[in-house]
Amino acid sequence: MRTIRTIMLAIAVIIAMAAQAAKTKEAAVSSPNGQLTVTVRLADNITYTVTSGSDVIIDRAQCAITLSGEQLGKTPQLKTIRRTTVNEDIRREVPIKNAIVKNHANEMRLVMKGGWELVFRAYDNGIAYRFVTAKKGTVTVDDETMLLPIDADSRVTMSQCGTFRQNYEERYVHLAAKEYTKESPMNYLPLYFQTPNGYQVLFSETAVEDYPHMFLKSAGNSTMKATFPPYPLEVEQQFDRFLIPTKEAAYIAETNGTRAFPWRFFVISKDARDIVANEMEFVLATPSVIGDASWIRPGQVAWDWWNGRQAWGVDFKAGCNEDTYKYFIDFASKYGVKYIILDEGWAVNTSDPFHTNKDINMPRLIKYGKDKGVDIILWLTWLEVERNFSLFAEYEKWGIAGVKIDFMDRSDQWMVNYYERVCAEAAKHHLMVDFHGSFKPAGLERKYPNLISYEGVLGLEQGPRCNPENTNWLPFIRNAVGPMDFTPGGMTNVQPENNHRSDEIALASGTRAYQMALYVVFTSGLQMLADTPSRYYENAECAAFIASVPTVWDETRVLFAEPGQYTVMARRNGNRWFIGGINDNTPRDVNVDLSFLNGSHSMTLYTDGINADRKATDYKATRATVSADKPLTIHMARNGGFAAVIE
């Protein structure tokens, strides 16, 4: 009798397994070079595995989205699979990294019963997926599932945060995946991890439109899960610049039922240079919708805030006044800097964007700048803009070049839509936009190329919190997903242990050569000169180099990249190459291969001085002839770097 029961049980198990196998389907797509493969498994839910040869990089990650109570991804029913190849060269309207960007991938579109699709793309340097739906009318997005198992011994680098109210300026935290538990704070994208089998992985999102930004928290067992700020139903004003959600919906978005949802992408390589060089955030984003973009003029800007509007050796009282801004304009004109920013304080108050304080005559200041080839960008709180959308038309009449909008500090659906409304209205009036107090880039700067930079970074204005230990991760994480307004250029340089914030003297951690190199290493369509003209005049040689570094590039090459340790980058603008390197707390030599050059060239090189490890302002300028067949050996001090121009 027991034998019969055993046989019957075995038969039942076999039948169940056969039934499960019958409803389980697998489909795969590989990168153009055949190295990366993503295999999608459809059963009770949807999982995907990413491999390179026999190496498993991501194992059975899960994805789904729930619209108005219907979970797309639960027992999916596959209708058909459509395969295509994407192969195009994209010419960027604002070439902040490369003038031509290659978009080459194999695509697999899983068409499901019920009016939805799941699209996967496999690139040579990563994979991406998104949901596409064809539902009638308006739907609520109740939630989106993203479960990402990470090998327990992987090294994870993340920005932990306590709430969704976030300015994206947290320090990076480094820990083993198994150390990130359900009790740990959540974190925001991008996420970086290094697997035990040697792969570098960067996870982020793009084409985020009419949808909130993703955050991550632990689901336990070394697994990350997505979480999103809910849709705000009621808000309360706090101070002059914040609207704080006080009542939230039970859903994360209310949107059109027929649409494409954001891309979730992974940049994957054993070579960290590929992470730094990637352009996936850009190529997967929505193409430009503004038409002619020739009026957009990226460039450098003399900035007044970080240096406290200080000046010395002058015959006027420095401050937020017309004489000080004329001083900034004179400096910008002398060094070929295109813009100056008037930061907080230029207006009569933060609720009135149309009238200046009593010490500034705006029409006269604008004319003074234009006569010297320098345009003005105005700082505003986001709330001031929201309540005065007519200011874009008015500023166009004034002759303003752009706006720096600050303190959004949210990334829910309403705020994401605010960013797009701003960019669209600014584009109508030929105004550039720089967002501070902002989330990370997620594709909007391709759709609206007049959005030329975002903050969303722990930058120089954070004083002692900003040091090379954290900053050296930025090329691999934050700047790897789009332009970054870090605000470099401090001339009072100190080693990090000596950076004690002062109201009188703005200090910058890292050596002088390190600060100069940031202009080459960091990508931004609007690059700040953060120090006062008085300090730059005292350091004229360094100021001249900084002001000569372009903000747009024909070509970018990552020569060396070791996450969090050092990065060396070469960029070409026309017939000039700029090379920059930044280093961590360990002094090291690098041998820079110059084989990308043709023939002999003249080079001006700025390196750490022999005492830069103790006196961070110590640097050395060298002029020499270089050629393609002779590598360049350069020593970088601790927290040091180098910068060069070859022409």
Side-chain angles (χ1 to χ4, degrees):
M1 196 70 173
R2 183 176 298 170
T3 301
I4 294 174
R5 284 200 299 268
T6 302
I7 293 172
M8 292 178 65
L9 179 61
I11 292 172
V13 170
I14 292 170
I15 292 172
M17 290 175 64
Q20 180 65 30
K23 71 176 184 178
T24 299
K25 293 181 171 61
E26 285 191 354
V29 61
S30 295
S31 58
N33 65 6
Q35 295 298 307
L36 285 177
T37 297
V38 55
T39 302
V40 184
R41 187 173 185 269
L42 307 178
D44 292 334
N45 50 37
I46 301 173
T47 60
Y48 58 93
T49 297
V50 182
T51 56
S52 177
S54 60
D55 293 336
V56 176
I57 305 164
I58 299 170
D59 189 16
R60 289 170 291 180
Q62 184 177 333
C63 59
I65 191 168
T66 304
L67 305 183
S68 299
E70 178 190 6
Q71 187 181 65
L72 310 183
K74 183 178 181 181
T75 59
Q77 299 180 58
L78 181 66
K79 287 175 61 178
T80 188
I81 300 175
R82 296 174 184 159
R83 297 180 182 274
T84 58
T85 295
V86 179
N87 193 2
E88 62 177 341
D89 290 331
I90 304 170
R91 182 172 291 276
R92 294 185 78 144
E93 289 86 356
V94 181
I96 60 171
K97 199 167 185 177
N98 294 285
I100 305 294
V101 183
K102 187 72 174 177
N103 183 19
H104 190 196
N106 290 327
E107 181 177 289
M108 177 175 68
R109 186 174 290 260
L110 304 174
V111 183
M112 310 292 187
K113 292 181 181 179
W116 63 282
E117 302 173 0
L118 181 58
V119 184
F120 278 87
R121 283 189 185 177
Y123 289 85
D124 289 344
N125 65 334
I127 67 105
Y129 75 89
R130 79 188 313 180
F131 287 90
V132 178
T133 58
K135 301 290 186 179
K136 293 181 180 179
T138 299
V139 297
T140 59
V141 182
D142 303 329
D143 198 10
E144 179 184 341
T145 300
M146 197 289 304
L147 289 172
L148 176 62
I150 300 176
D151 187 290
D153 293 320
S154 291
R155 193 70 178 167
V156 181
T157 298
M158 65 177 72
S159 300
Q160 294 186 342
C161 56
T163 69
F164 290 122
R165 185 183 170 192
Q166 186 56 233
N167 60 15
Y168 290 78
E169 296 180 24
E170 302 297 332
R171 287 181 57 82
Y172 292 121
V173 175
H174 315 280
L175 67 169
K178 60 190 173 187
E179 296 173 331
Y180 188 59
T181 68
K182 291 182 178 180
E183 290 71 39
S184 302
M186 66 179 177
N187 62 89
Y188 54 76
L189 300 181
L191 176 77
Y192 194 94
F193 61 95
Q194 300 160 284
T195 68
N197 53 358
Y199 289 91
Q200 316 282 329
V201 183
L202 177 70
F203 174 56
S204 198
E205 59 187 344
T206 191
V208 180
E209 300 170 13
D210 195 30
Y211 204 81
H213 279 228
M214 180 187 288
F215 289 67
L216 299 173
K217 58 184 179 181
S218 173
N221 299 318
S222 302
T223 297
M224 300 279 186
K225 68 177 180 179
T227 183
F228 298 86
Y231 187 84
L233 296 175
E234 296 178 5
V235 294
E236 180 179 282
Q237 183 167 342
Q238 188 178 87
F239 307 112
D240 61 344
R241 61 197 64 189
F242 301 117
L243 289 184
I244 309 302
T246 55
K247 183 178 180 181
E248 297 171 330
Y251 51 83
I252 63 173
E254 187 173 16
T255 189
N256 196 316
T258 298
R259 61 164 293 175
F261 286 87
W263 285 104
R264 290 30 180 118
F265 69 86
F266 298 85
V267 188
I268 301 168
S269 181
K270 280 196 168 182
D271 189 338
R273 291 179 298 178
D274 295 332
I275 307 296
V276 178
N278 97 88
E279 296 250 36
M280 285 183 70
E281 183 266 351
F282 176 81
V283 300
L284 290 165
T286 303
S288 173
V289 297
I290 71 170
D292 175 38
S294 61
W295 55 271
I296 301 170
R297 298 172 59 238
Q300 295 184 333
V301 53
W303 185 37
D304 62 336
W305 183 260
W306 183 74
N307 57 73
R309 302 183 178 104
Q310 294 199 51
W312 49 87
V314 297
D315 57 1
F316 60 86
K317 189 71 173 177
C320 191
N321 56 52
E322 192 171 339
D323 285 335
T324 301
Y325 286 124
K326 285 182 177 179
Y327 182 63
F328 273 75
I329 288 171
D330 291 343
F331 162 76
S333 179
K334 178 176 180 177
Y335 284 93
V337 173
K338 290 182 180 178
Y339 305 106
I340 71 163
I341 278 184
L342 276 62
D343 214 293
E344 182 170 3
W346 69 267
V348 64
N349 60 62
T350 56
S351 300
D352 183 350
F354 300 109
H355 298 92
T356 64
N357 71 46
K358 62 181 178 58
D359 297 319
I360 298 173
N361 182 306
M362 186 63 76
R364 187 167 59 207
L365 187 63
I366 292 170
K367 183 180 185 305
Y368 185 85
K370 288 187 179 299
D371 288 346
K372 297 204 167 193
V374 179
D375 282 320
I376 289 174
I377 294 171
L378 294 178
W379 175 94
L380 303 156
T381 68
W382 77 270
L383 188 54
E384 183 178 345
V385 174
E386 173 64 10
R387 292 174 173 169
N388 295 279
F389 246 61
S390 62
L391 64 78
F392 296 103
E394 186 67 15
Y395 287 176
E396 183 181 26
K397 295 176 186 175
W398 288 10
I400 294 299
V403 287
K404 173 184 172 181
I405 301 175
D406 207 349
F407 288 107
M408 288 74 68
D409 290 359
R410 285 166 41 199
S411 52
D412 51 58
Q413 182 193 20
W414 188 94
M415 187 58 78
V416 168
N417 290 343
Y418 167 84
Y419 277 62
E420 181 156 354
R421 287 191 292 113
V422 164
C423 292
E425 190 66 19
K428 289 179 187 176
H429 299 287
H430 301 97
L431 293 171
M432 298 182 298
V433 178
D434 176 26
F435 283 121
H436 270 232
S438 69
F439 47 60
K440 85 281 182 191
L444 191 60
E445 77 280 3
R446 182 178 179 193
K447 189 174 184 179
Y448 293 93
N450 58 314
L451 170 51
I452 55 174
S453 201
Y454 310 68
E455 189 186 25
V457 61
L458 199 169
L460 197 65
E461 66 176 296
Q462 293 296 319
R465 290 184 66 228
C466 176
N467 59 56
E469 179 188 3
N470 193 78
T471 300
N472 288 3
W473 281 93
L474 296 177
F476 303 87
I477 305 178
R478 169 60 184 83
N479 216 185
V481 300
M484 178 182 75
D485 195 356
F486 177 86
T487 64
M491 293 287 100
T492 305
N493 313 106
V494 294
Q495 288 292 345
E497 66 271 18
N498 296 320
N499 192 338
H500 309 294
R501 191 165 191 154
S502 166
D503 291 334
E504 182 178 352
I505 302 175
L507 303 176
S509 292
T511 69
R512 172 67 57 81
Y514 181 94
Q515 283 292 319
M516 295 170 71
L518 295 180
Y519 287 86
V520 182
V521 174
F522 287 170
T523 300
S524 180
L526 190 69
Q527 196 70 278
M528 305 271 185
L529 277 72
D531 221 326
T532 170
S534 296
R535 189 72 71 190
Y536 287 126
Y537 286 139
E538 291 177 344
N539 297 276
E541 183 178 51
C542 300
F545 171 81
I546 288 172
S548 74
V549 181
T551 56
V552 293
W553 305 98
D554 296 304
E555 182 181 355
T556 293
R557 299 189 183 204
V558 184
L559 305 182
F560 297 98
E562 191 61 41
Q565 296 181 36
Y566 63 99
T567 304
V568 179
M569 195 175 293
R571 299 187 191 257
R572 181 178 62 83
N573 178 289
N575 60 5
R576 293 188 302 166
W577 282 93
F578 288 80
I579 305 177
I582 57 175
N583 189 36
D584 65 4
N585 198 45
T586 302
R588 57 172 47 89
D589 294 334
V590 291
N591 292 310
V592 180
D593 183 357
L594 299 178
S595 59
F596 53 84
L597 299 176
N598 294 313
S600 297
H601 300 259
S602 62
M603 176 189 69
T604 303
L605 172 66
Y606 302 89
T607 57
D608 292 317
I610 194 169
N611 294 306
D613 60 331
R614 293 191 301 154
K615 182 66 172 176
T617 53
D618 187 25
Y619 78 96
K620 180 180 180 181
T622 304
R623 289 161 183 83
T625 299
V626 295
S627 59
D629 59 346
K630 294 181 181 178
L632 194 62
T633 300
I634 298 172
H635 177 74
M636 294 190 288
R638 69 182 183 101
N639 304 307
F642 72 93
V645 56
I646 300 173
E647 52 192 341

